[in-house]
Amino acid sequence: MGVMLHPNPDRPERYRVLDKELGVQEYFSFAKYGKRKAKKMALERQAELDKQKHLARLRADLGINKLFATDGSVKGLRRKSRKRPGRKEYEFFSIQVTIAPKIQKKKEISLMNREFDEAYELVQQTLLDFHGIERTTEINIAFRDAKRLYW
């Protein structure tokens, strides 16, 4: 939210730096620092918080963070089984990802006529295509580590 006078603009006693996104609320008292120094400190702190938020947004926009959850699983990927009357039961990978706000893409990749590794490779390529991300070494390692969760 920024730097503001506290408790009110008419009779301020301190500057308050508030950022709800980062969960920060700090005060810089006029009595402790003086009015000019308190304002300077509050503005410096706000600049630090703005930099932290900017770096967090950049980190979130990295391809690897779009594909993987913090626990190492692949976002939007589930292994399911389907039973239908009169048909053979089969397993498949279900992919459902949000590309942009209110835009989702879905796909199912069957394991019925494929080896697991072949289907998992198709899942990887599909996810990369959906997000428009190029394959990197870090992404390959993360996919390899996540493979055990879907085996």
Side-chain angles (χ1 to χ4, degrees):
M1 289 187 70
V3 177
M4 58 193 88
L5 293 169
H6 187 267
N8 59 45
D10 298 331
R11 293 185 346 181
E13 296 175 13
R14 63 191 73 85
Y15 281 102
R16 178 173 78 169
V17 176
L18 176 66
D19 193 315
K20 291 183 179 180
E21 192 175 319
L22 295 175
V24 174
Q25 180 172 297
E26 296 178 8
Y27 296 94
F28 300 92
S29 173
F30 295 166
K32 188 173 182 181
Y33 302 111
K35 195 169 186 176
R36 283 187 177 162
K37 188 173 181 185
K39 183 175 184 176
K40 180 182 175 189
M41 291 174 67
L43 291 172
E44 287 173 357
R45 181 65 175 137
Q46 183 62 46
E48 288 175 26
L49 295 175
D50 290 342
K51 186 175 180 180
Q52 284 179 5
K53 285 176 19 179
H54 178 69
L55 291 174
R57 284 189 193 105
L58 289 176
R59 212 174 297 120
D61 287 342
L62 288 175
I64 197 163
N65 293 332
K66 289 181 182 178
L67 291 171
F68 298 98
T70 55
D71 65 353
S73 63
V74 180
K75 290 182 181 178
L77 177 64
R78 294 177 64 195
R79 186 171 175 171
K80 293 182 173 182
S81 178
R82 180 172 288 149
K83 293 181 185 178
R84 292 183 177 167
R87 295 185 188 178
K88 186 178 173 185
E89 178 182 352
Y90 69 96
E91 288 187 287
F92 62 95
F93 284 118
S94 173
I95 302 169
Q96 181 175 352
V97 293
T98 302
I99 304 303
K102 297 188 179 184
I103 299 176
Q104 288 192 346
K105 292 196 176 185
K106 300 176 187 178
K107 187 169 184 175
E108 292 181 356
I109 297 175
S110 173
L111 292 166
M112 197 158 66
N113 298 322
R114 294 186 177 97
E115 296 281 328
F116 175 83
D117 292 332
E118 180 186 350
Y120 192 67
E121 187 66 34
L122 279 172
V123 165
Q124 293 176 34
Q125 195 56 49
T126 301
L127 283 165
L128 292 170
D129 291 344
F130 280 173
H131 287 288
I133 299 170
E134 290 188 32
R135 187 180 291 270
T136 64
T137 306
E138 292 84 11
I139 289 174
N140 284 339
I141 291 169
F143 271 126
R144 188 186 67 222
D145 294 343
K147 186 177 182 177
R148 63 182 167 72
L149 299 172
Y150 304 101
W151 184 258

